[in-house]
Coordinates of all heavy atoms in Angstrom, one line a residue:
T652 N 11.4 -6.7 -4.8 CA 10.8 -5.4 -4.7 C 11.6 -4.4 -5.3 O 12.7 -4.5 -5.5 CB 10.6 -5.1 -3.1 OG1 9.6 -4.2 -3.0 CG2 11.8 -4.6 -2.4
Y653 N 10.9 -3.2 -5.8 CA 11.7 -2.1 -6.2 C 11.8 -1.0 -5.2 O 11.1 -1.1 -4.1 CB 10.9 -1.4 -7.4 CG 11.2 -2.2 -8.6 CD1 10.5 -3.6 -8.8 CD2 11.9 -1.7 -9.7 CE1 10.8 -4.3 -10.0 CE2 12.0 -2.5 -10.8 CZ 11.5 -3.7 -10.9 OH 11.9 -4.5 -12.1
V654 N 12.9 -0.2 -5.3 CA 13.3 0.7 -4.4 C 13.5 2.1 -4.9 O 14.1 2.1 -6.0 CB 14.5 0.2 -3.5 CG1 15.6 -0.2 -4.4 CG2 15.0 1.1 -2.5
V655 N 13.1 3.2 -4.3 CA 13.3 4.5 -4.7 C 14.6 5.1 -4.1 O 14.8 4.9 -2.9 CB 12.1 5.5 -4.3 CG1 12.4 6.8 -4.9 CG2 10.8 4.8 -4.9
T656 N 15.4 5.8 -4.9 CA 16.6 6.2 -4.5 C 16.8 7.7 -4.6 O 15.8 8.5 -4.9 CB 17.8 5.6 -5.4 OG1 17.7 5.9 -6.7 CG2 17.8 4.1 -5.3
D657 N 18.1 8.3 -4.3 CA 18.2 9.7 -4.0 C 17.8 10.7 -5.3 O 17.5 11.7 -5.1 CB 19.6 10.0 -3.6 CG 20.8 9.4 -4.6 OD1 20.5 8.5 -5.3 OD2 21.8 9.8 -4.4
A658 N 17.8 10.0 -6.6 CA 17.5 10.8 -7.7 C 16.1 11.4 -7.5 O 15.6 12.2 -8.3 CB 17.6 10.0 -9.0
C659 N 15.2 10.8 -6.8 CA 13.9 11.1 -6.6 C 13.8 12.5 -5.7 O 12.7 13.1 -5.9 CB 13.1 10.0 -5.8 SG 11.3 10.5 -5.5
I660 N 14.8 12.8 -5.0 CA 14.7 14.0 -4.2 C 14.3 15.2 -4.9 O 15.0 15.4 -6.1 CB 15.9 14.1 -3.3 CG1 16.1 12.9 -2.4 CG2 15.9 15.4 -2.5 CD1 17.4 12.8 -1.5
R661 N 13.3 15.9 -4.7 CA 12.8 17.2 -5.3 C 12.4 17.0 -6.7 O 12.0 17.8 -7.3 CB 13.9 18.2 -5.3 CG 14.0 18.9 -4.0 CD 14.9 20.2 -4.0 NE 16.3 19.9 -4.3 CZ 17.4 19.5 -3.3 NH1 16.9 19.6 -2.1 NH2 18.5 19.3 -3.9
C662 N 12.1 15.8 -7.2 CA 11.5 15.4 -8.3 C 9.9 15.7 -8.2 O 9.4 15.2 -7.3 CB 11.6 14.0 -8.7 SG 10.6 13.4 -10.2
K663 N 9.3 16.2 -9.1 CA 7.9 16.7 -9.0 C 7.0 15.7 -9.8 O 5.8 15.9 -9.9 CB 7.8 18.1 -9.3 CG 8.3 19.1 -8.3 CD 7.7 19.2 -7.1 CE 8.3 20.1 -6.0 NZ 9.4 19.5 -5.3
Y664 N 7.6 14.9 -10.5 CA 6.7 14.0 -11.3 C 6.2 12.8 -10.5 O 6.7 12.4 -9.6 CB 7.6 13.4 -12.5 CG 8.1 14.4 -13.4 CD1 9.2 15.0 -13.3 CD2 7.3 14.9 -14.5 CE1 9.6 16.1 -14.2 CE2 7.5 15.7 -15.4 CZ 8.8 16.4 -15.2 OH 9.1 17.5 -16.0
M665 N 5.0 12.4 -10.8 CA 4.2 11.4 -10.0 C 3.8 10.3 -11.0 O 2.9 9.5 -10.7 CB 3.0 12.0 -9.3 CG 3.3 13.1 -8.3 SD 4.0 12.7 -6.9 CE 2.4 12.2 -6.0
D666 N 4.5 10.2 -12.0 CA 4.2 9.2 -13.0 C 4.2 7.8 -12.5 O 3.3 6.9 -12.9 CB 5.1 9.2 -14.3 CG 5.2 10.6 -14.9 OD1 5.3 11.6 -14.1 OD2 5.1 10.7 -16.2
C667 N 5.2 7.5 -11.7 CA 5.2 6.2 -11.1 C 4.1 5.9 -10.3 O 3.5 4.8 -10.3 CB 6.5 6.2 -10.2 SG 6.5 7.5 -9.0
V668 N 3.6 6.8 -9.4 CA 2.4 6.5 -8.6 C 1.3 6.3 -9.4 O 0.4 5.4 -9.1 CB 2.2 8.0 -7.7 CG1 0.9 7.8 -6.8 CG2 3.3 8.3 -7.0
E669 N 1.1 7.0 -10.6 CA -0.1 6.8 -11.4 C -0.1 5.4 -12.1 O -1.2 4.6 -12.2 CB -0.2 7.8 -12.5 CG -0.7 9.1 -11.9 CD -0.5 10.2 -12.9 OE1 -0.6 10.0 -14.0 OE2 -0.3 11.3 -12.2
V670 N 1.1 4.8 -12.4 CA 1.0 3.4 -13.0 C 1.0 2.2 -12.2 O 0.7 1.1 -12.5 CB 2.4 3.3 -14.0 CG1 2.1 4.3 -15.1 CG2 3.5 3.3 -13.2
C671 N 1.3 2.4 -10.8 CA 1.4 1.3 -10.0 C 0.2 0.7 -9.7 O -0.7 1.3 -9.2 CB 2.2 1.7 -8.6 SG 2.2 0.4 -7.4
P672 N 0.1 -0.5 -9.9 CA -1.3 -1.2 -9.9 C -1.7 -1.5 -8.4 O -2.9 -1.8 -8.2 CB -1.0 -2.6 -10.7 CG 0.5 -2.8 -10.5 CD 1.2 -1.4 -10.6
V673 N -0.7 -1.4 -7.5 CA -1.2 -1.7 -6.1 C -1.1 -0.5 -5.1 O -1.2 -0.6 -4.1 CB -0.3 -2.9 -5.5 CG1 -0.8 -4.2 -6.2 CG2 1.2 -2.7 -5.6
D674 N -0.7 0.8 -5.8 CA -0.7 1.8 -5.1 C 0.2 1.8 -3.8 O -0.2 2.2 -2.6 CB -2.1 2.4 -4.6 CG -2.9 2.9 -5.6 OD1 -2.5 3.4 -6.6 OD2 -4.4 2.6 -5.6
C675 N 1.3 1.3 -4.2 CA 2.3 1.2 -2.9 C 3.3 2.2 -2.8 O 4.4 2.1 -2.1 CB 2.9 -0.2 -2.9 SG 4.0 -0.6 -4.4
F676 N 3.1 3.4 -3.5 CA 4.1 4.6 -3.3 C 3.5 5.3 -2.1 O 2.3 5.6 -2.0 CB 4.1 5.5 -4.5 CG 5.0 4.9 -5.6 CD1 4.5 4.0 -6.5 CD2 6.4 5.2 -5.6 CE1 5.4 3.4 -7.5 CE2 7.2 4.7 -6.5 CZ 6.7 3.8 -7.6
Y677 N 4.5 5.9 -1.3 CA 4.1 6.7 -0.2 C 5.0 8.0 -0.2 O 6.1 7.8 -0.8 CB 4.2 6.1 1.1 CG 3.2 4.8 1.2 CD1 3.6 3.5 0.6 CD2 2.0 5.0 1.9 CE1 2.6 2.6 0.7 CE2 1.0 4.1 1.9 CZ 1.3 2.7 1.4 OH 0.5 1.8 1.3
E678 N 4.5 9.0 0.5 CA 5.5 10.2 0.5 C 6.3 10.1 1.7 O 5.9 10.0 2.9 CB 4.5 11.4 0.6 CG 4.4 12.2 -0.7 CD 3.6 13.3 -0.5 OE1 4.0 14.5 0.0 OE2 2.3 13.3 -1.0
G679 N 7.6 10.2 1.6 CA 8.5 10.3 2.5 C 9.1 11.7 2.7 O 8.5 12.6 2.1
E680 N 10.1 11.9 3.5 CA 10.7 13.3 3.5 C 11.4 13.6 2.2 O 12.3 12.8 1.9 CB 11.6 13.3 4.7 CG 11.6 14.7 5.5 CD 12.5 14.4 6.8 OE1 12.2 13.6 7.5 OE2 13.5 15.1 6.7
N681 N 11.0 14.6 1.5 CA 11.6 15.0 0.3 C 11.5 14.1 -1.0 O 12.1 14.3 -2.0 CB 13.1 15.4 0.3 CG 13.4 16.3 1.6 OD1 12.6 17.2 1.7 ND2 14.5 16.1 2.3
M682 N 11.0 12.9 -0.8 CA 10.9 11.9 -1.9 C 9.8 10.9 -1.7 O 9.2 10.9 -0.6 CB 12.2 11.2 -1.9 CG 12.5 10.3 -0.6 SD 14.1 9.4 -0.6 CE 13.8 8.2 -1.7
L683 N 9.6 10.2 -2.7 CA 8.5 9.1 -2.6 C 9.2 7.9 -2.3 O 10.5 7.8 -2.5 CB 7.9 9.0 -4.1 CG 7.1 10.1 -4.5 CD1 6.6 9.8 -5.9 CD2 5.8 10.2 -3.7
V684 N 8.5 6.9 -1.6 CA 9.1 5.6 -1.3 C 8.2 4.6 -1.8 O 6.9 4.8 -2.0 CB 9.4 5.5 0.1 CG1 10.6 6.4 0.6 CG2 8.2 5.7 1.0
I685 N 8.6 3.4 -1.9 CA 7.9 2.2 -2.2 C 7.8 1.3 -0.9 O 8.8 1.0 -0.4 CB 8.5 1.4 -3.2 CG1 8.5 2.2 -4.6 CG2 7.8 0.0 -3.6 CD1 9.2 1.5 -5.9
N686 N 6.6 0.9 -0.6 CA 6.4 -0.1 0.5 C 6.8 -1.5 0.1 O 6.1 -2.0 -0.8 CB 5.0 0.0 0.9 CG 4.8 -0.9 2.3 OD1 5.6 -1.8 2.5 ND2 3.8 -0.6 3.1
P687 N 7.8 -1.9 0.7 CA 8.5 -3.3 0.2 C 7.5 -4.5 0.6 O 7.5 -5.5 -0.1 CB 9.6 -3.4 1.0 CG 9.7 -2.5 2.0 CD 8.6 -1.3 1.6
N688 N 6.6 -4.2 1.5 CA 5.5 -5.2 1.7 C 4.4 -5.3 0.8 O 3.6 -6.3 0.8 CB 5.0 -5.1 3.3 CG 6.1 -5.0 4.2 OD1 7.2 -5.8 4.2 ND2 5.9 -4.3 5.2
E689 N 4.3 -4.4 0.1 CA 3.1 -4.1 -0.8 C 3.6 -4.2 -2.4 O 2.6 -4.6 -3.2 CB 2.3 -2.7 -0.7 CG 1.7 -2.8 0.8 CD 1.1 -1.4 1.1 OE1 1.2 -0.5 0.1 OE2 0.4 -1.3 2.1
C690 N 4.7 -3.9 -2.7 CA 5.2 -4.0 -4.0 C 5.2 -5.3 -4.5 O 5.5 -6.4 -3.8 CB 6.6 -3.4 -4.2 SG 7.4 -3.6 -5.8
I691 N 4.5 -5.5 -5.8 CA 4.4 -6.9 -6.2 C 5.5 -7.1 -7.3 O 5.5 -8.1 -8.0 CB 3.1 -7.1 -6.8 CG1 2.7 -6.1 -8.0 CG2 2.0 -7.2 -5.9 CD1 1.4 -6.4 -8.9
D692 N 6.6 -6.3 -7.5 CA 7.6 -6.5 -8.4 C 7.2 -6.5 -9.8 O 8.0 -7.3 -10.7 CB 8.2 -8.0 -8.0 CG 9.8 -7.7 -7.8 OD1 10.2 -6.6 -7.8 OD2 10.4 -8.8 -7.7
C693 N 6.3 -5.8 -10.2 CA 5.8 -5.8 -11.5 C 6.7 -5.1 -12.5 O 6.9 -5.5 -13.8 CB 4.3 -5.4 -11.7 SG 4.3 -3.5 -11.5
G694 N 7.5 -4.0 -12.1 CA 8.4 -3.3 -12.8 C 7.9 -2.2 -13.7 O 8.7 -1.5 -14.3
V695 N 6.7 -2.0 -13.7 CA 6.0 -0.9 -14.5 C 6.5 0.4 -14.3 O 6.5 1.3 -15.0 CB 4.5 -1.1 -14.9 CG1 4.0 -2.4 -15.4 CG2 3.7 -0.6 -13.5
C696 N 6.8 0.6 -13.0 CA 7.2 2.1 -12.4 C 8.6 2.5 -13.0 O 8.8 3.5 -13.3 CB 7.1 2.2 -11.1 SG 8.2 1.0 -10.2
E697 N 9.4 1.6 -13.2 CA 10.9 1.8 -13.4 C 10.9 2.7 -14.7 O 11.8 3.7 -14.5 CB 11.6 0.5 -13.5 CG 13.1 0.8 -13.7 CD 14.0 -0.4 -13.7 OE1 13.3 -1.7 -13.9 OE2 15.3 -0.4 -13.7
P698 N 10.4 2.2 -15.9 CA 10.6 3.0 -17.0 C 9.9 4.4 -16.9 O 10.1 5.3 -17.7 CB 10.3 2.2 -18.2 CG 9.3 1.2 -17.5 CD 9.8 1.0 -16.1
E699 N 8.9 4.6 -16.0 CA 8.0 5.7 -16.1 C 8.9 6.9 -15.3 O 8.5 8.1 -15.4 CB 6.7 5.5 -15.2 CG 5.8 4.6 -15.9 CD 5.3 5.1 -17.4 OE1 5.3 6.3 -17.5 OE2 5.2 4.3 -18.3
C700 N 9.9 6.6 -14.5 CA 10.5 7.6 -13.7 C 11.4 8.5 -14.5 O 12.4 7.9 -15.0 CB 11.2 6.8 -12.5 SG 12.2 8.0 -11.5
P701 N 11.2 9.7 -14.7 CA 12.1 10.6 -15.5 C 13.4 10.7 -14.8 O 14.4 11.1 -15.6 CB 11.4 11.9 -15.5 CG 10.3 11.8 -14.4 CD 10.0 10.4 -14.1
A702 N 13.6 10.6 -13.5 CA 14.9 10.8 -12.8 C 15.7 9.4 -12.7 O 16.7 9.3 -12.1 CB 14.6 11.4 -11.4
E703 N 15.0 8.4 -13.2 CA 15.6 7.0 -13.1 C 16.1 6.7 -11.7 O 17.1 6.3 -11.3 CB 16.8 6.9 -14.2 CG 16.5 6.9 -15.5 CD 17.7 6.8 -16.6 OE1 18.6 6.3 -16.0 OE2 17.5 7.1 -17.7
A704 N 15.2 7.0 -10.9 CA 15.3 6.9 -9.4 C 15.0 5.4 -8.8 O 15.2 5.1 -7.7 CB 14.6 8.0 -8.5
I705 N 14.1 4.9 -9.6 CA 13.5 3.6 -9.2 C 14.4 2.5 -9.7 O 14.6 2.2 -10.9 CB 12.1 3.3 -9.6 CG1 11.3 4.6 -9.1 CG2 11.5 2.0 -9.1 CD1 9.9 4.6 -9.7
L706 N 14.8 1.5 -8.8 CA 15.8 0.4 -9.2 C 15.3 -0.9 -8.5 O 14.6 -0.8 -7.4 CB 17.2 0.7 -8.7 CG 17.9 1.8 -9.2 CD1 19.2 2.2 -8.5 CD2 18.2 1.9 -10.6
P707 N 15.4 -2.0 -9.1 CA 15.1 -3.4 -8.5 C 16.1 -3.5 -7.3 O 17.3 -3.1 -7.4 CB 15.3 -4.3 -9.5 CG 16.3 -3.7 -10.6 CD 16.0 -2.2 -10.5
D708 N 15.7 -4.1 -6.2 CA 16.5 -4.3 -5.0 C 17.5 -5.4 -5.2 O 18.3 -5.5 -4.3 CB 15.6 -4.5 -3.8 CG 15.0 -6.0 -3.7 OD1 15.1 -6.6 -4.8 OD2 14.5 -6.2 -2.6
T709 N 17.6 -6.0 -6.4 CA 18.7 -6.9 -6.7 C 19.9 -6.2 -7.1 O 21.0 -6.8 -7.2 CB 18.2 -7.8 -7.9 OG1 17.7 -7.0 -8.8 CG2 17.2 -8.8 -7.4
E710 N 19.8 -4.9 -7.3 CA 21.2 -4.1 -7.5 C 22.0 -4.1 -6.3 O 21.5 -4.0 -5.2 CB 20.8 -2.7 -8.1 CG 19.9 -2.8 -9.3 CD 20.6 -1.9 -10.6 OE1 21.5 -1.2 -10.2 OE2 20.1 -2.1 -11.7
N711 N 23.2 -3.8 -6.5 CA 24.2 -3.7 -5.4 C 24.2 -2.4 -4.7 O 23.8 -1.5 -5.4 CB 25.6 -3.9 -5.9 CG 25.8 -5.5 -6.2 OD1 25.1 -6.3 -5.6 ND2 26.7 -5.7 -7.2
G712 N 24.5 -2.2 -3.4 CA 24.5 -1.0 -2.8 C 23.3 -0.1 -2.4 O 23.4 0.9 -2.1
L713 N 22.2 -0.9 -2.4 CA 21.0 -0.2 -2.1 C 20.4 -0.5 -0.7 O 19.4 0.1 -0.5 CB 19.8 -0.7 -3.1 CG 20.1 -0.4 -4.6 CD1 18.9 -0.7 -5.4 CD2 20.3 1.2 -4.8
E714 N 21.3 -1.0 0.0 CA 20.9 -1.4 1.5 C 20.3 -0.1 2.3 O 19.2 -0.3 2.9 CB 21.8 -2.0 2.3 CG 22.2 -3.3 1.9 CD 23.1 -3.3 0.6 OE1 23.6 -2.4 0.2 OE2 23.3 -4.5 0.1
S715 N 20.8 1.0 2.2 CA 20.4 2.2 3.0 C 19.2 2.7 2.4 O 18.3 3.2 3.1 CB 21.5 3.2 3.1 OG 21.9 3.7 1.8
W716 N 19.0 2.8 1.1 CA 17.7 3.1 0.5 C 16.6 2.1 0.7 O 15.5 2.6 0.9 CB 18.0 3.3 -1.1 CG 18.9 4.5 -1.3 CD1 20.2 4.5 -1.8 CD2 18.6 5.8 -1.0 NE1 20.6 5.8 -1.8 CE2 19.7 6.6 -1.3 CE3 17.5 6.5 -0.5 CZ2 19.9 8.0 -1.4 CZ3 17.6 7.9 -0.5 CH2 18.7 8.7 -0.8
M717 N 16.9 0.9 0.6 CA 15.9 0.0 1.1 C 15.3 0.2 2.5 O 14.1 0.1 2.7 CB 16.3 -1.6 1.0 CG 16.6 -1.9 -0.6 SD 17.7 -3.3 -0.6 CE 16.8 -4.6 0.3
E718 N 16.2 0.5 3.4 CA 15.9 0.7 4.8 C 15.0 2.0 4.8 O 14.0 2.0 5.6 CB 17.2 1.0 5.6 CG 17.1 0.6 6.9 CD 18.5 0.6 7.5 OE1 19.3 -0.3 7.2 OE2 18.8 1.5 8.4
L719 N 15.4 3.0 4.1 CA 14.6 4.3 4.2 C 13.3 4.1 3.5 O 12.3 4.7 4.1 CB 15.4 5.3 3.3 CG 15.1 6.8 3.8 CD1 15.3 7.1 5.1 CD2 15.8 7.8 2.6
N720 N 13.1 3.4 2.4 CA 11.8 3.2 1.8 C 11.0 2.5 2.9 O 9.8 2.8 3.0 CB 12.0 2.3 0.6 CG 12.3 3.1 -0.6 OD1 11.7 3.1 -1.7 ND2 13.5 3.7 -0.7
R721 N 11.5 1.4 3.5 CA 10.7 0.8 4.5 C 10.3 1.6 5.7 O 9.1 1.6 6.1 CB 11.5 -0.5 5.0 CG 10.7 -1.5 6.0 CD 11.6 -2.5 6.5 NE 12.0 -3.5 5.4 CZ 11.1 -4.3 4.8 NH1 10.0 -4.6 5.4 NH2 11.5 -5.1 3.8
K722 N 11.2 2.4 6.1 CA 11.0 3.3 7.2 C 9.9 4.3 7.0 O 8.9 4.5 7.7 CB 12.4 4.0 7.6 CG 12.2 5.0 8.7 CD 13.5 5.7 9.1 CE 13.4 6.7 10.0 NZ 13.2 8.0 9.4
Y723 N 9.9 4.9 5.9 CA 9.1 6.1 5.5 C 7.7 5.4 5.2 O 6.7 5.9 5.6 CB 9.5 6.9 4.2 CG 10.5 7.9 4.6 CD1 11.5 8.2 3.5 CD2 10.6 8.4 5.9 CE1 12.5 9.2 3.8 CE2 11.6 9.4 6.1 CZ 12.5 9.8 5.0 OH 13.5 10.8 5.2
A724 N 7.7 4.3 4.5 CA 6.4 3.5 4.2 C 5.6 3.0 5.5 O 4.6 3.3 5.7 CB 6.6 2.4 3.3
E725 N 6.4 2.7 6.6 CA 5.8 2.2 7.7 C 5.4 3.4 8.7 O 4.6 3.2 9.6 CB 6.8 1.3 8.5 CG 6.9 -0.1 8.0 CD 8.0 -0.8 8.6 OE1 8.7 -0.4 9.6 OE2 8.1 -2.0 8.2
E726 N 5.8 4.6 8.4 CA 5.4 5.8 9.1 C 4.0 6.3 8.8 O 3.4 6.9 9.4 CB 6.4 6.9 8.9 CG 7.6 6.8 9.9 CD 8.7 7.8 9.6 OE1 8.5 8.8 8.9 OE2 9.8 7.8 10.2
W727 N 3.5 5.7 7.6 CA 2.0 6.0 7.3 C 1.1 5.2 8.0 O 1.3 4.1 8.1 CB 2.0 5.8 5.7 CG 2.4 6.8 4.9 CD1 3.6 7.2 4.5 CD2 1.6 8.0 4.5 NE1 3.7 8.3 4.0 CE2 2.5 8.9 3.8 CE3 0.2 8.3 4.4 CZ2 2.0 9.9 3.2 CZ3 -0.2 9.3 3.9 CH2 0.7 10.2 3.3
Ligands
LIG1336 FE1 4.3 -0.6 -7.9 FE2 5.1 -2.5 -9.6 FE3 6.6 -0.4 -9.0 FE4 6.3 -2.3 -7.3 S1 7.3 -2.6 -9.3 S2 6.2 -0.1 -6.9 S3 4.1 -2.9 -7.7 S4 4.7 -0.3 -10.0

């Protein structure tokens, strides 16, 4: 799954939302998040993000962001 990180905060671009084939972006507090249960890992959103805020969850040190993405997505 892919995960949205702090570079998204206050970013006003929604390019990622538009390209996602399964519409799994949701609005969290100050940022967008990806619902890890819905993301199909296609990767098309990653290069669309002008803030480079979207990373694959295979990167190190993303645990707290993964938790936040899940939390905000589940609040919907
Ligand atoms: Fe959507 Fe694909 Fe990005 Fe997952 S990797 S959030 S399915 S565009």
Side-chain angles (χ1 to χ4, degrees):
T652 199
Y653 278 70
V654 53
V655 185
T656 63
D657 53 346
C659 178
I660 295 170
R661 284 191 293 272
C662 171
K663 295 282 182 276
Y664 293 92
M665 301 281 276
D666 306 44
C667 53
V668 178
E669 280 165 33
V670 297
C671 180
V673 294
D674 290 328
C675 65
F676 280 91
Y677 294 85
E678 256 179 82
E680 218 172 292
N681 306 320
M682 63 182 285
L683 293 172
V684 294
I685 291 170
N686 185 333
N688 300 326
E689 297 174 356
C690 175
I691 57 169
D692 230 9
C693 71
V695 300
C696 57
E697 188 182 9
E699 296 299 325
C700 177
E703 295 182 17
I705 304 172
L706 301 170
D708 71 352
T709 46
E710 300 234 348
N711 291 328
L713 294 181
E714 289 78 10
S715 60
W716 291 108
M717 286 163 61
E718 210 172 289
L719 198 65
N720 277 240
R721 184 179 296 279
K722 175 175 175 279
Y723 285 151
E725 281 173 356
E726 282 173 3
W727 274 82

